[in-house]
Amino acid sequence: MTNETDNTVSVLLGNGNGTFQPHTDYPTGHTPSSVAVADLNGDRNLDLAVTDYSDNSVSVLLGNGDGTFRAHVDYVTGMRPVTALVADFDGDGFMDLAIANEISQTVSILGGNGDGTFQPRSDYLTGSAIFAVVADFNEDGAADLAIVNSAASNRPNSVSILLNTQGTKISVRPSSNPSLVGQSLTFSGTVEGSLRGAKVPTCTVTVSEGSTVLGTATLAAAQFSAISSTLAVGTHSLSVVYSGDSSFQRHTVSLRQTVQYAGSPDFTVGSTPGSATVVAGTPASFTITATAQNGFASAISLACTSGLPPQATCQFSPSSINPGTNPGTSSLTVNTSARTTAHISANLGLYVSWLFLPAIAMSTITLAAPKCRRYFSYILLVLVFTALIWITACGGNSSGGANSGGGTSGTPVGIYNIVVTGSTGSTQHTSTVTLTVQ
């Protein structure tokens, strides 16, 4: 803070909790009236610029970075300076000073050299200044000034606006916004001086996203056309940067570009391999792949919906997949059943009748020997009993069909087109695998 009577500026270092250490005073010119704080020499340390009302000067105190300051260096201003402002008014990257002067009714601009020293002032007419602010009032990328004038001014009770002549107006139009994914974009527009009668800007315009340059164009009669590479789906914050030239400052404007998918979110289903051959009783394996389209991001349930052979099952691992940005896969296993041979076929009676052929032969022989009839009866009973056990053990009931003797038919020989369906909500897509069973 400035101290008019002591001709000093007091610095109170903060403790970080809202309290401050005792003040340290640094000499200035006579009757200091205001102070501006900024890095004036680019060393990342804060410096001070103090207006000296009685000396018609501004005192610059460069900071040491530890809360202390060097001795003041004074620069001439207009008469009775009341406010000091800091900004890069000429776009050279160095901080400049703007000093509002009450009696001379001017504002003095002192161009910075980048090392904490300043060039002689250039004065611009205002009213009798009592306060001033700096801002970009017309959004042309250049710092402007607003000077509040006192009642004793030649412009009493007014505000003087001083627009920077090095500002530009940038107009930019993308070829489409929103655009479609995969579509190349062209950014066209103009760069013009913001004030009437200004020169025609020259040099280049660059379109960037962060540190990535999308396109660059050279101005021709204040117009440009920059072609960019394709952008990903989403909303992009782009910067359109005019490089500046000898008459105009560098200027950056922002642009939001939206990129959309060409269609609704969807997916496809495929299979690898497309066909397989197995012997009944062995499994067949396939890989089912789901690929997202247009930003599809839902889980897909898998099922064998038709074409599955008799006495066969299908299993998916996992049973649902979410492809996301990369294709999702699931292992499909089709399990077939083996065929078994029956001990007795449907012609069981024919086979049993063969058991009696020995009995017929023996009966022919034993008729001639009555004493053997009793033994023949015993043998005949044994044969009949054996046949009954055989029928019972092998499934004598013929209702089982061709293999009613206790065997299974397994998965029949044939070629089967199995339809695999992926579904999510009302959306379904299919893929067909061919299974040959031998």
Side-chain angles (χ1 to χ4, degrees):
M1 62 187 66
T2 57
N3 307 302
E4 285 188 12
T5 303
D6 292 344
N7 301 321
T8 60
V9 60
S10 297
V11 176
L12 293 79
L13 300 179
N15 296 314
N17 59 0
T19 64
F20 295 86
Q21 300 175 26
H23 66 91
T24 300
D25 297 337
Y26 296 90
T28 64
H30 290 89
T31 320
S33 54
S34 70
V35 60
V37 181
D39 180 7
L40 300 178
N41 59 353
D43 63 357
R44 298 187 179 182
N45 299 325
L46 292 178
D47 308 309
L48 303 177
V50 181
T51 53
D52 304 317
Y53 188 81
S54 297
D55 289 346
N56 301 324
S57 65
V58 57
S59 297
V60 175
L61 295 79
L62 298 180
N64 296 313
D66 57 359
T68 64
F69 294 85
R70 306 175 201 174
H72 65 95
V73 177
D74 298 338
Y75 297 88
V76 176
T77 66
M79 294 181 62
R80 302 297 184 258
V82 293
T83 301
L85 300 172
V86 179
D88 181 8
F89 292 105
D90 56 6
D92 62 357
F94 302 143
M95 290 295 102
D96 308 314
L97 295 177
I99 309 299
N101 306 301
E102 180 182 9
I103 301 302
S104 61
Q105 302 191 38
T106 60
V107 59
S108 299
I109 303 297
L110 291 78
N113 296 314
D115 58 359
T117 64
F118 294 86
Q119 301 171 25
R121 77 182 192 274
S122 296
D123 292 338
Y124 298 87
L125 290 176
T126 63
S128 181
I130 57 175
F131 188 71
V133 294
V134 59
D136 183 4
F137 295 115
N138 56 351
E139 297 183 344
D140 62 357
D144 307 312
L145 293 170
I147 311 297
V148 179
N149 302 310
S150 70
S153 170
N154 57 358
R155 301 172 184 176
N157 303 321
S158 64
V159 175
S160 299
I161 302 297
L162 286 77
L163 296 178
N164 196 318
T165 60
Q166 293 185 344
T168 54
K169 288 290 188 180
I170 299 178
S171 169
V172 58
R173 301 173 301 278
S175 53
S176 61
N177 194 5
S179 59
L180 301 180
V181 64
Q183 176 184 1
S184 181
L185 287 171
T186 300
F187 297 94
S188 302
T190 59
V191 179
E192 299 176 320
S194 59
L195 300 183
R196 184 178 301 175
K199 296 180 180 180
V200 176
T202 59
C203 290
T204 62
V205 172
T206 301
V207 182
S208 304
E209 182 175 23
S211 60
T212 302
V213 175
L214 303 180
T216 301
T218 299
L219 284 172
Q223 298 184 350
F224 67 91
S225 181
I227 300 176
S228 77
S229 58
T230 57
L231 294 173
V233 170
T235 300
H236 300 264
S237 295
L238 308 182
S239 297
V240 181
V241 183
Y242 166 55
S243 62
D245 60 17
S246 59
S247 300
F248 297 97
Q249 296 183 24
R250 179 184 176 91
H251 187 191
T252 301
V253 296
S254 299
L255 172 68
R256 294 180 70 83
Q257 178 69 37
T258 301
V259 181
Q260 301 175 339
Y261 287 108
S264 301
D266 204 349
F267 66 93
T268 60
V269 177
S271 57
T272 305
S275 62
T277 300
V278 298
V279 176
T282 58
S285 297
F286 304 89
T287 298
I288 305 302
T289 302
T291 303
Q293 295 179 332
N294 299 332
F296 180 87
S298 299
I300 301 170
S301 299
L302 300 173
C304 295
T305 51
S306 65
L308 193 66
Q311 299 192 40
T313 61
C314 74
Q315 293 179 326
F316 294 92
S317 180
S319 60
S320 65
I321 51 180
N322 192 333
T325 56
N326 298 313
T329 60
S330 176
S331 297
L332 166 62
T333 302
V334 179
N335 296 299
T336 61
S337 299
R339 297 182 292 275
T340 59
T341 304
H343 294 289
I344 297 293
S345 68
N347 298 319
L348 182 63
L350 177 62
Y351 297 136
V352 173
S353 66
W354 285 91
L355 295 174
F356 292 98
L357 292 179
I360 295 173
M362 293 182 64
S363 65
T364 304
I365 297 172
T366 55
L367 286 176
K371 293 182 179 181
C372 295
R373 292 175 183 172
R374 182 170 51 185
Y375 298 104
F376 169 72
S377 299
Y378 293 150
I379 293 172
L380 183 60
L381 288 174
V382 171
L383 292 173
V384 171
F385 183 70
T386 300
L388 291 175
I389 293 175
W390 194 358
I391 293 171
T392 302
C394 297
N397 189 341
S398 62
S399 63
N403 290 319
S404 59
T408 59
S409 63
T411 301
V413 172
I415 299 176
Y416 302 91
N417 294 317
I418 303 173
V419 177
V420 177
T421 300
S423 59
T424 178
S426 60
T427 303
Q428 293 185 342
H429 293 289
T430 63
S431 179
T432 300
V433 296
T434 300
L435 177 65
T436 300
V437 181
Q438 296 179 341

